[in-house]
Amino acid sequence: MSSMHAELMDGAGLAAAMNDETAGRARRVQERWGRPPCLVAVLVGDDPASATYVRMKRARSRAVGIESRIVELDAGATTAEVVGAVCALSEDDGVDGILLQHPVPAQVDERAAFEAIAGGKDVDGVTTTSFAAMAFGLPGFVSCTPGAIIALLDAYGVELAGRRAVVVGRSPILGKPVAMILLARDASVTICHSRTRDLASVVGEADVVVAAVGKPELVRGSWLKQGAVVVDAGYNAGSLGDVAFDEAVGVASRITPVPGGVGPVTIAMLLRQTAQAAETSLSRRGH
Ligand code: NAP
């Protein structure tokens, strides 16, 4: 029996502090250049979850003084139409950040659409250029959920250098980039996926576990090493994470709740990077 009870890593609190700072930056952009930072979300099709995420991001943007627009394309849009819409935004001087809501309908080549985002406007960190910067530890926009995970670990003073990190999931915008950032921060990183054998014992070696799978409560408390730090990026129906929270909380030393963990920090990261994009492009244009 364990007497441990993990400390919660409070994403809502961290997000509020980040959003306060971003609101100040947005105000200074408005004062100096006469317009607020502008984020445009591209929404293809009518997936209700995606529509909800996009509306949530718009509400948060407005709350910090970032102008937010949504470009909607219908569910039957072709790759060329999506790429065309993204390219037009890439060339528009009034747009600072572009977010293509993932996933797009199956007939659209998502990678081609992501790559149409101009590097300086990739505030969601989804292009190969941004990925390379993350992997090399160079400045650039981070993929927002990985960036949020690292921000939470940093906010709680979790040591990464020399520690063993296990990432469960290898998607191009979550598992892979978070693994790259952990590696750049000198953790020893193992990436697991659907073909990994004996996932439980691999997870059991981790000082830091990042769950990014999309399967409710896949990671069990009994898998974890005593005192492990657990970050749960999963968000499944019924507000369940990818980690069995009630079990893990008795074994881990720190854990993110779902909801109120990674999610709000992800949006805060998006807004922070939008303010940053506006500052960089407007000062470069020298107004
Ligand atoms: P995804 O593209 O579906 O990728 C899921 C990954 O999990 C894949 O790499 C897959 O392996 C792996 N996987 C599936 N079943 C597994 C199993 N039984 N054992 C081990 N690995 C398994 O999902 P995603 O976009 O990365 O999202 C993952 C989760 O994060 C979802 O719950 C999503 O809702 C959530 N999410 C949260 C935020 C946020 O802001 N909090 C943002 C984005 C996503 P293969 O590669 O072998 O198929």
Side-chain angles (χ1 to χ4, degrees), residues 10-101:
D10 173 20
L14 175 59
M18 289 170 67
N19 288 336
D20 276 351
E21 194 209 304
T22 300
R25 291 171 75 170
R27 206 161 44 239
R28 287 190 291 279
V29 166
Q30 168 77 55
E31 284 162 11
R32 181 153 177 212
W33 290 291
R35 69 159 177 84
C38 172
L39 172 67
V40 179
V42 178
L43 177 62
V44 188
D46 35 30
D47 175 55
S50 291
T52 303
Y53 287 136
V54 164
R55 277 199 303 272
M56 215 156 72
K57 290 168 187 170
R58 179 173 61 186
R60 279 272 141 245
S61 298
R62 289 178 174 168
V64 300
I66 289 177
E67 186 199 337
S68 165
R69 287 198 265 134
I70 301 177
V71 170
E72 291 184 63
L73 301 177
D74 66 49
T78 63
T79 298
E81 285 164 346
V82 179
V83 167
V86 173
C87 283
L89 296 168
S90 287
E91 284 160 18
D92 183 342
D93 281 351
V95 174
D96 301 305
I98 302 168
L99 159 83
L100 173 65
Q101 184 62 39

Side-chain angles (χ1 to χ4, degrees), residues 116-200:
I117 298 172
K121 299 186 182 186
D122 182 22
V123 295
D124 205 22
V126 295
T127 60
T128 51
T129 305
S130 295
F131 183 88
M134 278 182 277
F136 287 117
L138 294 172
F141 293 119
V142 297
S143 184
C144 287
T145 308
I149 291 166
I150 302 299
L152 272 163
L153 292 170
D154 285 344
Y156 283 85
V158 176
E159 175 88 53
L160 295 172
R163 312 282 303 280
R164 299 199 66 163
V166 170
V167 178
V168 190
R170 59 172 167 181
S171 71
I173 57 169
L174 213 181
K176 254 181 216 162
V178 80
M180 289 301 122
I181 304 175
L182 290 166
L183 181 61
R185 295 284 299 270
D186 297 324
S188 295
V189 185
T190 303
I191 307 173
C192 301
H193 46 78
S194 64
R195 305 290 297 274
T196 297
R197 290 187 193 158
D198 199 4
L199 182 62

